[in-house]
Amino acid sequence: MSYVEVPGAKVPIRMWADPSTVESGAMQQLQNVATLPWIKGLAVMPDVHYGKGATVGSVIAMHGAVCPAAVGVDIGCGMSAVKTSLTANDLPGDLSRLRSKIEQAIPVGRGMHDDPVDPGYLHGVPAAGWDDFWARFDRVAEAVKFRQERATKQMGTLGSGNHFVEFCLDEAGSVWLMLHSGSRNIGKELADFHIGEAQKLPHNQGLVDRDLAVFIADTPQMAAYRNDLFWAQEYAKYNRAVMMALFQDVVRKEFKKAKVTFEPVISRQQEDAEGQMRTVEYRPGVISCHHNYVSEERYDGMDLLVTRKGAISAGSGEWGIIPGSMGTESYIVRGLGNEKSFNSASHGAGRRMSRNAAKRKFTAKDLEDQTRGVECRKDSGVVDEIPAAYKPIGQVMEQQKDLVQVVAKLKQVICVKG
């Protein structure tokens, strides 16, 4: 589908979702965002659902202002994936040992490493810039500096909720490594601090929702937020790189005989300009993308601050990852560069019911049924992540065919959750 336009107070709301299926609370949040004086555009992804202040699955473009709640509290949360030289035939019949090894290498939930990771001992983590990155911690908000030790030890850890590490197969039987995580506790604390600071500012008094408080360009408060925001986004990127390196190390050790390599070619049938189908080959390397972040972009001759909360950048040819749930397929995509969406696409399937609602409705037995064939936790502690709590990923992908092109379809065989 293309987008549907819904009238908003200051800008039209472009929706890549059926408005009749969007929960009333989320629709009200979209209307609230459309009242902000600084807004220049609002695009809504097919995975849209209720969030704090701004919906998850929305792309908000503002001039001279940025709303911290439109980024999300897990600053820089996103995905990484890489194709390996392994195939389904290389996998053992019992995947429980491999899952256990992954969980031993990558702390989950509130866990952390005993000592901070050293990138010098990890494949694929750039050591250049590492020391400078940590040196810049001295310039983040004073209110979170006491968390430095935790932040260093949580670098390279998974977290909980919808974060995961997965061993996947594509339709040709090739093995992929994929993971989803963000800036951990330090990102959340920075986000919460700055949302609170924004709410105190005079220009934010009288907003329809105090959680939509913004920082204004060329102010000390905006400068402080941008400093901490970009640091947390970098933390999230490093966090995924460290986890992917630890994940790859597990795979190298467990499949020594196979001499595993990473980043092999992706082949896909694609229609050319003459309408003929031909094989196109890509070598994307490790694919990594944020889906809770701010970017400086230019549209229609205007410099804008674009926040993507539960959305990925999908510029022309840009690689992205759109996951489903712990029992459904995920997609490796390339952006089509649709400027009506501010070059964006969904970040996943999107929840169709809250965590509490899922816990009330489903049992561990339901989870076991819906994750049959996947080596994963099947206990009551992760029932809120049951596939039925999410929108059908196939439908979500169908609704954004003008935003991304699918390059590979993946299905997990192992899913690690916190």
Side-chain angles (χ1 to χ4, degrees):
M1 66 176 283
S2 186
Y3 66 91
V4 175
E5 199 166 279
V6 176
K10 291 188 175 294
V11 294
I13 304 168
R14 300 176 192 147
M15 302 188 68
W16 276 260
D18 179 351
S20 68
T21 67
V22 178
E23 59 196 306
S24 60
M27 187 63 79
Q28 184 60 58
Q29 287 186 319
L30 295 170
Q31 291 290 350
N32 291 346
V33 168
T35 69
L36 295 175
W38 312 272
I39 193 163
K40 297 300 178 184
L42 173 55
V44 182
M45 302 296 101
D47 58 342
V48 61
H49 59 278
Y50 187 85
K52 179 182 174 65
T55 63
V56 179
S58 57
V59 183
I60 302 169
M62 291 198 281
H63 180 63
V66 67
C67 173
V71 179
V73 293
D74 189 358
I75 298 171
C77 186
M79 301 285 303
S80 290
V82 66
K83 187 181 178 185
T84 79
S85 58
L86 294 171
T87 70
N89 293 332
D90 295 310
L91 302 183
D94 183 356
L95 295 170
S96 59
R97 171 188 163 89
L98 184 53
R99 175 187 155 203
S100 178
K101 291 294 183 181
I102 296 167
E103 291 170 339
Q104 289 171 27
I106 301 174
V108 303
R110 295 186 177 182
M112 61 186 78
H113 293 283
D114 293 334
D115 298 297
V117 295
D118 183 343
Y121 293 96
L122 295 172
H123 296 277
V125 180
W130 182 265
D131 291 340
D132 175 66
F133 165 73
W134 283 112
R136 285 188 280 119
F137 187 83
D138 289 340
R139 301 199 292 273
V140 303
E142 195 69 35
V144 305
K145 285 185 178 175
F146 74 104
R147 295 295 195 190
Q148 183 168 12
E149 181 179 4
R150 175 185 284 186
T152 58
K153 291 184 177 181
Q154 283 195 325
M155 175 65 78
T157 65
L158 183 62
S160 56
N162 62 352
H163 295 158
F164 61 78
V165 176
E166 289 187 342
F167 218 75
C168 303
L169 298 176
D170 65 20
E171 292 178 296
S174 293
V175 171
W176 288 69
L177 312 184
M178 186 167 71
L179 56 87
H180 172 206
S181 192
S183 52
R184 302 298 280 112
N185 180 256
I186 193 65
K188 180 185 183 302
E189 295 211 7
L190 283 168
D192 286 339
F193 169 76
H194 284 289
I195 290 172
E197 291 298 291
Q199 289 173 343
K200 300 173 187 176
L201 298 173
H203 62 261
N204 289 317
Q205 307 313 307
L207 293 177
V208 293
D209 183 347
R210 67 192 302 267
D211 284 333
L212 292 178
V214 307
F215 292 114
I216 300 296
D218 303 319
T219 63
Q221 295 89 352
M222 171 70 101
Y225 176 61
R226 283 167 63 95
N227 176 77
D228 294 0
L229 169 76
F230 292 135
W231 184 87
Q233 288 180 186
E234 196 170 350
Y235 183 104
K237 190 172 182 178
Y238 269 124
N239 186 41
R240 289 194 295 275
V242 170
M243 279 194 291
M244 183 58 77
L246 294 170
F247 194 3
Q248 289 176 339
D249 193 46
V250 169
V251 172
R252 286 188 185 95
K253 290 175 181 176
E254 291 298 300
F255 297 91
K256 285 181 181 177
K257 292 182 180 178
K259 296 181 180 178
V260 189
T261 58
F262 303 93
E263 307 174 16
V265 172
I266 302 172
S267 297
R268 179 172 176 80
Q269 288 290 306
Q270 187 172 312
E271 189 174 309
D272 64 18
E274 285 73 43
Q276 301 296 313
M277 297 303 293
R278 61 189 180 90
T279 300
V280 179
E281 293 188 340
Y282 304 107
R283 189 183 293 275
V286 177
I287 303 165
S288 185
C289 58
H290 289 324
H291 53 226
N292 280 10
Y293 74 111
V294 177
S295 179
E296 299 171 345
E297 300 176 19
R298 189 172 179 83
Y299 295 93
D300 297 326
M302 183 179 292
D303 292 323
L304 301 174
L305 287 168
V306 178
T307 56
R308 294 185 176 90
K309 180 179 181 179
I312 62 171
S313 181
S316 182
E318 190 172 5
W319 289 94
I321 307 165
I322 303 177
S325 65
M326 63 187 291
T328 60
E329 64 270 19
S330 298
Y331 295 84
I332 305 298
V333 300
R334 297 188 86 202
L336 295 176
N338 189 328
E339 291 201 359
K340 294 294 186 181
S341 72
F342 297 101
N343 294 320
S344 306
S346 82
H347 83 312
R351 298 193 70 91
R352 62 178 173 186
M353 65 176 66
S354 70
R355 295 186 181 280
N356 287 335
K359 288 177 181 177
R360 289 193 297 269
K361 181 170 183 177
F362 299 109
T363 66
K365 177 62 168 59
D366 295 323
L367 178 64
E368 184 177 348
D369 290 341
Q370 293 182 32
T371 57
R372 188 163 284 116
V374 181
E375 173 59 42
C376 64
R377 285 181 61 182
K378 300 177 190 285
D379 57 85
S380 59
V382 290
V383 164
D384 56 338
E385 281 294 296
I386 193 169
Y390 285 83
K391 297 177 182 180
I393 185 63
Q395 175 184 308
V396 168
M397 296 305 297
E398 182 66 25
Q399 290 174 306
Q400 56 185 335
K401 290 175 71 172
D402 59 337
L403 304 183
V404 293
Q405 172 197 35
V406 174
V407 176
K409 181 179 176 180
L410 313 182
K411 178 68 173 67
Q412 71 277 84
V413 291
I414 298 174
C415 177
V416 171
K417 278 191 174 285

